[in-house]
Amino acid sequence: MNRPFDLVLDWSLLGNAADYLRAVGGTLAVVAGWAGAGLLAGGLVAALVGATRRTAGALDRHRVAAERVVAALAVVWLATALLGVRTSPDVPFAAGSSAGLVVSRTQQVDRTLHDLDDYAVELRTDRFRDVPADRLLAGLRGKDVLVTVVESYGRVALEDPTIAPGVDRVLDDGTASLAAAGFQARSAWLTSSTFGGASWLAHSTLLSGTEVDNPQRYRRLLASDRFTLPRAFAKAGWQTAAVLPSVQGAWPEKDLYGYGTVLDKPTFGYRGPNFGWSPMPDQYVLETLQKTTLGAPGRKPLMAEIALTSSHAPWAPLPQVVDWTTLGDGTVFEPIRQQGHLQSEVWPDQGRVRTEYGRSVEYTLSTLVSFLQRYGTDDTVMVFLGDHQPLPLVSGVGASRDVPVTIVAKDPAVLDAVSGWGWDAGLRPGPRAPVEGMQEFRDQFLTAFTPGGGA
């Protein structure tokens, strides 16, 4: 996740780690993972205790000599620290990194413990909650608004020289083909609240209009009555749905976000193979949404959040776009899975991991373009974005948390409403396109399509 471990908050992520291991390797992988972690932790404690005892014994046997050596080393350390002596341009000879680490972690714990008070105030501050229903989102009346979140679709996919050429080509070709079908698009960047994982933090940040960057904030949000983006659409008369192919069983977030219905894994009727962690290809997810909801006669306009998972690690094997008429129950994907690369073939080679990540993003973006060409109407508005950057193995250590965001529509009035945002034309944001926090999108979107901007 490209950040230090939080001593207060991050223990809850162990459960998610186990879920991931179970999805990609089965129950045996989970057992092996926990056993390995236990042995490593126990071995580390035993080694530290043993080393301390041996050192203490040696010092006791040679007390006078040890005292002289420690005193001499202290003088050398202090002198080299004051003189700024370095073993290399970036490495000081006399490092205080251990003491600095202790101080920084202590400060981190203090900030974490005080963060909830600030966040409680932020949750109560909302200028859209009391906007009358007949004015809220009036600029989108009659439109189907599809907020589509593409797993691990990060800035690296558009800018890394080993990944970007294929992804950029798909986006540029998609811009041209959608324009031929009457669609126009605008694109920019959002800074995600997470990196490399914990996608639910990004989803909740996007929908709540508050930065949810740790489990503590997430739990507080779940316990609140925050006026989320789906709640706003529901108040204004839309039917709302969450399309979540990886969720099975109870999903308590449904009530927080205000979704009327949830399409979870059991509702898809998918009989095809998994592709790595992803339980079904994105194309099948979108086709099911079209058949069950978008294509239903006499329905109200739909606002849906769609989670697309084909670009989730480990990126092997990968699906391919097939003829929409052949999707059936998903068994058409079995030969594709059998012909795909195995994880054991891809992951020993970092270059191949990056290549397969790029191919997974190309697949999902191609699928979105094809879906809009096939099923998009004058009343279709799609917002698609990444949830976070891929893990540091792909993004690189120290990479930003930026992800692309795009809005696509046929109706010129929709893009006219966002013309003041300064976003770039087309599906591909340029390097100088605007960058804003993901938590700012909700208010920006509601303001653009609500007469008076929620004032």
Side-chain angles (χ1 to χ4, degrees):
M1 297 181 70
N2 215 23
R3 62 169 175 79
F5 183 82
D6 191 303
L7 294 170
V8 177
L9 302 177
D10 283 342
W11 300 103
S12 63
L13 295 176
L14 291 173
N16 302 109
D19 291 340
Y20 176 78
L21 285 175
R22 184 177 295 106
V24 299
T27 303
L28 182 60
V30 178
V31 174
W34 283 119
L39 289 173
L40 179 62
L44 180 61
V45 171
L48 286 172
V49 170
T52 302
R53 292 184 62 185
R54 290 185 63 186
T55 302
L59 291 175
D60 186 57
R61 290 191 300 272
H62 308 285
R63 184 180 300 272
V64 175
E67 290 173 349
R68 290 173 179 173
V69 170
V70 169
L73 289 176
V75 172
V76 172
W77 187 93
L78 182 61
T80 54
L82 291 174
L83 293 173
V85 176
R86 294 179 175 272
T87 57
S88 72
D90 298 323
V91 181
F93 182 87
S97 56
S98 296
L101 177 63
V102 172
V103 171
S104 67
R105 290 305 176 90
T106 302
Q107 293 172 339
Q108 178 192 57
V109 170
D110 182 66
R111 287 194 302 270
T112 298
L113 295 176
H114 287 87
D115 177 65
L116 272 186
D117 293 335
D118 297 334
Y119 190 52
V121 174
E122 187 177 352
L123 285 174
R124 292 194 298 268
T125 305
D126 195 334
R127 61 191 175 92
F128 289 97
R129 183 186 298 274
D130 298 324
V131 174
D134 60 350
R135 190 157 64 87
L136 189 64
L137 292 163
L140 290 172
R141 286 279 184 265
K143 306 295 185 188
D144 293 318
V145 181
L146 309 177
V147 180
T148 307
V149 183
V150 179
E151 172 65 41
S152 299
Y153 177 38
R155 188 161 190 150
V156 66
L158 278 67
E159 295 187 347
D160 184 275
T162 64
I163 301 171
V167 175
D168 289 348
R169 183 171 56 253
V170 169
L171 291 172
D172 292 342
D173 291 348
T175 298
S177 59
L178 287 178
F183 287 95
Q184 296 297 318
R186 299 290 183 271
S187 298
W189 306 100
L190 298 177
T191 301
S192 178
S193 59
T194 185
F195 186 106
S199 301
W200 57 92
L201 300 180
H203 287 255
S204 54
T205 295
L206 179 76
L207 300 179
S208 71
T210 65
E211 186 173 20
V212 187
D213 59 355
N214 62 62
Q216 179 173 256
R217 283 192 166 214
Y218 186 68
R219 289 190 294 270
R220 176 58 63 91
L221 177 64
L222 288 179
S224 75
D225 62 349
R226 179 70 177 178
F227 191 61
T228 61
L229 194 59
R231 285 186 184 277
F233 273 96
K235 179 178 178 179
W238 271 260
Q239 69 176 105
T240 58
V243 183
L244 306 171
S246 62
V247 169
Q248 49 187 334
W251 190 60
E253 288 89 339
K254 174 179 180 289
D255 294 331
L256 162 69
Y257 294 133
Y259 287 117
T261 58
V262 175
L263 276 68
D264 57 7
K265 184 177 179 181
T267 64
F268 282 93
Y270 181 68
R271 298 291 181 268
N274 291 7
F275 284 83
W277 182 90
S278 179
M280 64 192 74
D282 296 337
Q283 187 180 9
Y284 186 90
V285 172
L286 293 171
E287 176 72 9
T288 302
L289 175 64
Q290 176 65 32
K291 286 182 176 179
T292 62
T293 309
L294 288 172
R299 63 174 178 83
K300 294 194 298 184
L302 174 71
M303 180 272 169
E305 184 199 12
I306 308 166
L308 298 182
T309 62
S310 290
S311 49
H312 194 293
W315 308 304
L318 294 176
Q320 299 173 13
V321 179
V322 300
D323 189 314
W324 291 88
T325 63
T326 66
L327 283 168
D329 62 0
T331 52
V332 66
F333 290 105
E334 180 58 39
I336 296 173
R337 186 195 67 80
Q338 292 178 0
Q339 295 166 12
H341 299 303
L342 299 176
Q343 296 172 38
S344 58
E345 297 173 326
V346 171
W347 277 79
D349 183 341
Q350 182 177 355
R352 263 189 104 172
V353 173
R354 295 164 63 82
T355 297
E356 296 308 299
Y357 161 75
R359 290 183 60 226
S360 75
V361 173
E362 291 174 35
Y363 162 77
T364 296
L365 296 176
S366 298
T367 299
L368 285 174
V369 170
S370 180
F371 174 80
L372 287 170
Q373 288 177 298
R374 181 176 178 83
Y375 293 119
T377 71
D378 293 345
D379 291 326
T380 300
V381 177
M382 177 177 282
V383 178
F384 69 88
L385 68 152
D387 52 2
H388 53 68
Q389 290 259 53
L391 50 81
L393 178 69
V394 175
S395 295
V397 176
S400 76
R401 291 185 286 125
D402 294 347
V403 299
V405 59
T406 298
I407 182 168
V408 185
K410 271 191 176 181
D411 187 347
V414 174
L415 295 185
D416 287 346
V418 304
S419 59
W421 296 359
W423 288 16
D424 289 354
L427 302 181
R428 177 159 65 100
R432 293 183 176 85
V435 182
E436 60 189 27
M438 188 176 284
Q439 69 274 14
E440 298 174 35
F441 179 81
R442 188 207 69 149
D443 283 12
Q444 184 182 45
F445 190 84
L446 292 176
T447 298
F449 296 106
T450 299

